[in-house]
Amino acid sequence: MVSTTTGGGASRRTASILLRAAVTLLMVATLNFMLFRVIPGDPAALLLGGARTSVTAEQMEAQRQNWGLDRPLFPDQVVDYLSATLQGDFGYSFKFRGRRVADLILERLPATIALVGLAQFIAILCGVMLGLYAGWRRGGAVDHIVTGASLALYSTPSFWLGMLLVVIFSTALGWLPGYGAYSPGAISGSLDWLLDYLRHLVLPVTAVALGLIGQYVVVARAAMSDVVTEDYMVTARAKGLTGGQMLMRHAFRNAMLPVVTLITLNLGYVVAGAITVEAVFAWPGIGGLTVEALNARDYPVLQGIFLLLGASIVVANLLADLAYGILDPRVRQ
């Protein structure tokens, strides 16, 4: 009887999580459409050459009709946008002369995943371990050093770290490239091309990873510091368990609950990318595409990118909720 009730509760919880995720995605898509309609500027004028070109009213009207900009914003344009989005059609770019938005995003996505994904991997590996150790040995010299450095990194904007790294290691010392993903003349597919790509990755990855390490250390240390004071830890110590046994059997799993939330939320940003850092390093990823689309008032591209960002965060939250149920049986019930 208990098993049936528990299983039914878990199923209802999963269904509720999925329903909330679907509703959230619908709201994100609708707000995403409305947001970029308040940006100053007329995309029809851009398509005809911008302000420097003399454009007649008839030409402007023809462009608006061609792109559907003359139709009522609500419900016509909104309904068409939501219907096309559900079918996987994000529309066509204004700036890139009618290219599919989905194709533009897919072209830039691998560079962003390489940058932010590698930074996330390094940050999770280093930050979580350092944070858990500092919390387990709280009050010691290592704890003070790690916590102080992490707070400084956590409060420093990643784009400022990126500019500092460029000034030191690219401009002053000349050790590493600080612009783009490849050097001029690099032959795609060769070993030299791969090594050149990795050298261009070092500085932007470092800029993103340093900020993320600060986040992981702060959260992991706080979680571990709370766990070591719990009653069950005192009981485990009274039973004669060693420090290693207490850490692995009791402390680690419970301390990982808030850390898992942070990891999954940050993994959502792997898809969307670090826009400011990519702008600093002229990295040819989603961030660079976002800046280009903003400057050009390219609504379809901006909508596609921000929908991608919203969807990745919603999916990350969904994964965090499901992971909580695995790590903590009380949540499943």
Side-chain angles (χ1 to χ4, degrees), residues 230-285:
E230 294 288 344
D231 292 339
Y232 59 81
M233 294 296 292
V234 177
T235 303
R237 188 177 292 107
K239 288 181 178 179
L241 295 181
T242 65
Q245 289 173 326
M246 292 169 59
L247 176 64
M248 298 309 298
R249 292 184 187 179
H250 302 287
F252 180 79
R253 185 169 182 173
N254 287 283
M256 282 300 292
L257 289 173
V259 177
V260 165
T261 302
L262 181 61
I263 289 175
T264 51
L265 290 177
N266 280 337
L267 287 178
Y269 288 103
V270 170
V271 178
I275 293 175
T276 55
V277 173
E278 288 191 15
V280 169
F281 291 95
W283 189 256

Side-chain angles (χ1 to χ4, degrees), residues 64-65 67-77 80:
R64 291 193 181 95
Q65 290 178 3
W67 291 95
L69 299 173
D70 61 322
R71 303 174 64 195
L73 191 64
F74 185 84
D76 295 36
Q77 292 190 42
D80 288 347

